[in-house]
Amino acid sequence: MADELRARIRSGALRPGERMPTQAQLAQEFGVERGAVRQALRILQSEQLLTNVSKGSPATVAPDPAGALTGPEAPPLPTTVALAPRIAAAFAAEHVEIDAVCLTSISLTLAIGEPLRQIHAGRLKPAKVDVRVLLPSRDIDLAFPVPVEGRGDDWVHERWLSMRNAQGQVLRHNLLALRSTHGIDVHVTFRALPFTPPVKLYLLNGTEALFAYYTLTRREAEIDHEHLEMYDAQGTQSMLFSFRQGPGLRDTTFVEQSHLWFNALWETISSELVLTS
């Protein structure tokens, strides 16, 4: 939705200073919930294409959208805001290719939900979907999440492992279901890394790279009614930077090098990953 509205603003179909359709009208047009509409409008506001985005009156096209920051030049956004619309845009291709390096795949699983809804609604129909995901191995000592003082290592590791497996299973199940429901050729493969990735990376259709740092914080968790302090990263809130192939040499090179890096890990030191306890 953000991509479509951005294109309308850039083409002049929505003019500077013009009021946008209401959120109810946009929800009806795109066949989505109001929450998805607000998310798309917030993305365009962050790119300085819209003003007055709120739950009340309709938003307004910025006075000078030509000078706004869009696409890869837009400011970074939290993963929960930025990833879903980019994944949905990737699913508009005939052959969808998604590679990911992450800690648990929770952000990817959540983001995949939007294109799946559009496929089930008949608005998207790729012919083929290939997804490859690199996750930390269950057999390593994780750099994070870990207890601050070393107590509760087993509990923290098992909690992470359970989340890694559950999210991966949901992701795989939801995608493979497209074979029987829509006749889409789907392949989902996981491999295990011998280290904890300090960053997350999503590569979309060979043309776009989305990159974020895992920033560690100290937080509390409860084990058997006792509080445990641990170092952990909230990956869903990591700020996602976008790089896209195009006329810009820096972004194009980053995308190309990211693919080389991912493929090198996939083909060398990664190993088979089984999503079970």
Side-chain angles (χ1 to χ4, degrees):
M1 185 188 302
D3 287 341
E4 172 61 26
L5 295 176
R6 185 188 297 114
R8 294 179 189 178
I9 294 171
R10 285 302 193 190
S11 68
L14 290 168
R15 299 182 301 278
E18 180 180 350
R19 295 183 76 178
M20 296 283 290
T22 66
Q23 292 185 15
Q25 290 170 327
L26 290 171
Q28 183 177 14
E29 176 186 352
F30 287 93
V32 298
E33 300 293 331
R34 293 278 191 94
V37 174
R38 288 193 289 272
Q39 184 180 47
L41 295 179
R42 285 196 295 268
I43 291 172
L44 298 181
Q45 183 181 43
S46 73
E47 297 175 0
Q48 304 170 24
L49 287 170
L50 294 180
T51 61
N52 302 325
V53 174
S54 68
K55 294 183 180 180
S57 59
T60 304
V61 179
D64 182 24
L69 298 176
T70 62
E73 296 180 353
L77 295 168
T79 300
T80 48
V81 175
L83 186 57
R86 300 313 314 144
I87 294 287
F91 266 76
E94 185 77 4
H95 181 191
V96 181
E97 295 180 277
I98 298 176
D99 294 334
V101 180
C102 42
L103 189 65
T104 64
S105 79
I106 183 171
S107 295
L108 182 58
T109 302
L110 292 171
I112 287 286
E114 179 57 28
L116 291 182
R117 284 189 288 272
Q118 295 192 33
I119 289 172
H120 293 312
R123 288 189 293 273
L124 289 175
K125 183 64 186 292
K128 186 175 182 181
V129 177
D130 285 311
V131 176
R132 299 188 299 173
V133 184
L134 287 169
L135 298 168
S137 168
R138 61 173 297 159
D139 300 321
I140 65 172
D141 292 328
L142 290 172
F144 60 91
V146 290
V148 172
E149 297 181 354
R151 182 179 62 86
D153 270 324
D154 291 343
W155 180 87
V156 172
H157 189 275
E158 288 303 314
R159 179 175 174 273
W160 162 80
L161 181 61
S162 176
M163 183 176 297
R164 186 205 72 169
N165 292 342
Q167 293 298 328
Q169 288 168 355
V170 170
L171 177 65
R172 182 171 59 189
H173 171 79
N174 289 347
L175 285 168
L176 292 181
L178 296 175
R179 289 179 177 175
S180 57
T181 59
H182 293 82
I184 299 173
D185 183 14
V186 178
H187 299 272
V188 184
T189 312
F190 296 86
R191 287 187 67 80
L193 290 171
F195 63 88
T196 310
V199 300
K200 56 165 57 180
L201 176 69
Y202 307 97
L203 302 170
L204 311 181
N205 293 346
T207 62
E208 187 172 4
L210 302 168
F211 174 91
Y213 294 102
Y214 282 117
T215 302
L216 296 185
T217 59
R218 184 168 177 159
R219 67 181 187 87
E220 278 193 354
E222 187 173 316
I223 307 176
D224 297 330
H225 307 292
E226 293 187 19
H227 291 287
L228 171 71
E229 285 196 308
M230 56 191 295
Y231 294 119
D232 200 1
Q234 296 295 319
T236 57
Q237 298 304 312
S238 298
M239 300 299 286
L240 208 58
F241 295 80
S242 176
F243 301 84
R244 197 176 304 172
Q245 283 189 331
L249 178 60
R250 184 184 69 94
D251 279 22
T252 296
T253 302
F254 185 88
V255 174
E256 292 173 349
Q257 291 298 310
S258 295
H259 275 281
L260 289 173
W261 180 72
F262 181 93
N263 287 329
L265 292 176
W266 188 269
E267 295 165 5
T268 59
I269 62 173
S270 67
S271 58
E272 181 182 2
L273 187 151
V274 180
L275 295 170
T276 61
S277 299

